[in-house]
Amino acid sequence: MVKKKSCVFISGSGTNLKELIKSSKSYNFPININLVISNNKNANGLKLAKLHKIPYKTLNLNNLRDKEQTLNILKKNKIKLICLAGFMKILPKDFIKKFKGQIINIHPSLLPKFKGLNTFTKAIKAKERFSGCTVHFVNEKLDSGKIILKKKVSIDKNENEKSLKLKVQKKEYKAYSEAIFKIYN
Ligand code: GRF
């Protein structure tokens, strides 16, 4: 099987990146992680890239020169899929257009509920019975592209932001790889 070349965009701890790297090592996983791009030079996820010998760059897509450099590096590496994994910047609209149907994101809520930030607090405050994560295609509107899959967790009686985050993140690690399988099968 020829694996598609992919790039993961991160900003922080990179725990989803870690799981994606793990999945990509299995022979039937549809993608390879060929590149990691971070907008934050101190992102812990960059250490993972280094550890696994994946080329990485720190670039800010909201800066014109960096955007050009990103486009060049994605082209040069023949990247076919961009996975946003804890990427905390809003991508420029023209960049999204260029990669229509080729950018996916993982969001910590059951979309379309609770777009944007602080999703756990919002879900608890709204007295929701369930929370979870959603993997979706990225379009020009925040957290609004076509949904690939969702995974649910229950919000228990004394749930707090920290406990809910732990539960949801555990689901995220499975959800992201499953969604990538789903896209290519
Ligand atoms: C995840 O919870 C993801 O849903 C959100 O940001 C978090 C990133 O975590 N978009 P990590 O950097 O993958 O550890």
Side-chain angles (χ1 to χ4, degrees):
M1 188 182 86
V2 182
K3 294 191 179 197
K4 303 270 186 306
K5 293 183 194 291
S6 80
C7 174
V8 181
F9 281 21
I10 60 165
S11 299
S13 56
T15 58
N16 278 285
L17 169 65
K18 187 176 176 189
E19 293 302 314
L20 287 176
I21 294 174
K22 211 195 269 173
S23 295
S24 73
K25 309 249 180 209
S26 78
Y27 83 100
N28 63 342
F29 196 62
I31 64 165
N32 262 333
I33 315 291
N34 300 78
L35 190 63
V36 173
I37 290 179
S38 171
N39 64 300
N40 165 16
K41 68 174 176 15
N42 299 316
N44 201 52
L46 290 176
K47 291 186 190 147
L48 280 167
K50 212 185 262 181
L51 183 73
H52 291 271
K53 299 189 169 49
I54 301 169
Y56 60 90
K57 276 252 174 234
T58 302
L59 290 164
N60 169 12
L61 274 107
N62 300 106
N63 158 315
L64 212 58
R65 210 198 294 160
D66 277 18
K67 188 166 75 180
E68 283 308 311
Q69 210 184 323
T70 307
L71 289 169
N72 286 335
I73 197 173
L74 293 172
K75 197 171 170 192
K76 203 173 119 200
N77 285 278
K78 299 188 166 59
I79 298 299
K80 297 286 180 273
L81 183 73
I82 296 169
C83 305
L84 309 184
F87 185 66
M88 302 309 283
K89 289 271 175 196
I90 293 180
L91 290 170
K93 285 198 166 57
D94 59 334
F95 183 89
I96 296 174
K97 257 191 196 145
K98 221 175 215 131
F99 288 94
K100 196 169 184 272
Q102 293 181 287
I103 311 175
I104 59 176
N105 180 42
I106 186 148
H107 180 77
S109 80
L110 296 171
L111 288 173
K113 283 189 176 171
F114 311 121
K115 296 174 182 174
L117 297 174
N118 305 317
T119 57
F120 305 121
T121 310
K122 286 177 190 163
I124 293 169
K125 267 199 177 152
K127 299 202 181 332
E128 293 286 325
R129 290 184 51 220
F130 298 99
S131 172
C133 61
T134 306
V135 184
H136 64 95
F137 285 102
V138 171
N139 67 9
E140 284 98 327
K141 280 196 194 148
L142 183 70
D143 301 326
S144 298
K146 188 173 173 240
I147 289 171
I148 303 160
L149 66 79
K150 303 192 212 189
K151 279 200 186 284
K152 237 186 193 180
V153 302
S154 63
I155 299 181
D156 299 329
K157 251 201 170 153
N158 295 315
E159 204 77 72
N160 57 45
E161 195 191 329
K162 205 171 153 196
S163 62
L164 185 56
K165 183 175 173 183
L166 278 176
K167 274 203 251 179
V168 170
Q169 281 193 327
K170 236 177 160 179
K171 288 276 175 195
E172 286 191 342
Y173 304 146
K174 290 208 172 81
Y176 220 160
S177 295
E178 264 182 54
I180 291 169
F181 262 119
K182 202 170 161 190
I183 293 174
Y184 293 107
N185 283 303

